[in-house]
Amino acid sequence: MVSDTLSDKLEYQHQARPEFMPEEWQRSQKMCICVNCHYVDNCLTYHAVEGQHQQPHLTETPTFEPTEPTINVNIRSHSDEIEMEWDVVGCASFTADSGKWSRLRPGELIPT
């Protein structure tokens, strides 16, 4: 049985082979967890991720320093271009606030 806590999901991710995980769960692991975190609009780590993605910042002066953020960086090459995608996939400070990013940016596509 798989627990619903973030740390258990991340542990499960390391133990299981991705090709045998449900497709929806695989997609969810590729998305930055920050979009559903209470601190997204004041977080130094998310601010850095926004910068890497060349996206407008939710705030120009974040003050919240999260504990133990884990960032996955996916690197893909397309012809002469190299694309880097940064996603926060774990954080000891994560505090669930489902839809927080969407409420701050209504009508915009959620970053993936």
Side-chain angles (χ1 to χ4, degrees):
M1 184 173 132
V2 179
S3 173
D4 287 333
T5 67
L6 178 61
S7 60
D8 288 342
K9 283 183 180 179
L10 292 173
E11 182 64 28
Y12 179 72
Q13 178 181 10
H14 294 290
Q15 293 174 0
R17 292 177 53 192
E19 61 269 25
F20 296 114
M21 292 183 207
E23 187 175 327
E24 181 180 320
W25 193 86
Q26 288 182 50
R27 275 195 311 273
S28 73
Q29 295 309 298
K30 295 175 184 169
M31 186 172 87
C32 186
I33 64 171
C34 300
V35 298
N36 291 312
C37 181
H38 171 76
Y39 299 108
V40 69
D41 56 338
N42 195 30
C43 179
L44 291 163
T45 298
Y46 187 71
H47 189 266
V49 169
E50 288 172 317
Q52 290 297 325
H53 284 286
Q54 299 176 345
Q55 295 298 310
H57 294 294
L58 293 174
T59 184
E60 290 301 321
T61 55
T63 58
F64 179 74
E65 187 167 348
T67 305
E68 298 177 24
T70 301
I71 300 172
N72 277 351
V73 179
N74 294 301
I75 303 170
R76 297 179 194 86
S77 59
H78 302 282
S79 301
D80 293 337
E81 290 184 26
I82 295 177
E83 175 185 306
M84 293 176 47
E85 181 179 343
W86 297 57
D87 293 307
V88 178
V89 295
C91 182
S93 299
F94 179 82
T95 302
D97 188 348
S98 186
K100 172 87 181 245
W101 190 96
S102 293
R103 290 192 304 277
L104 294 168
R105 294 271 169 93
E108 292 187 29
L109 292 175
I110 298 171
T112 58

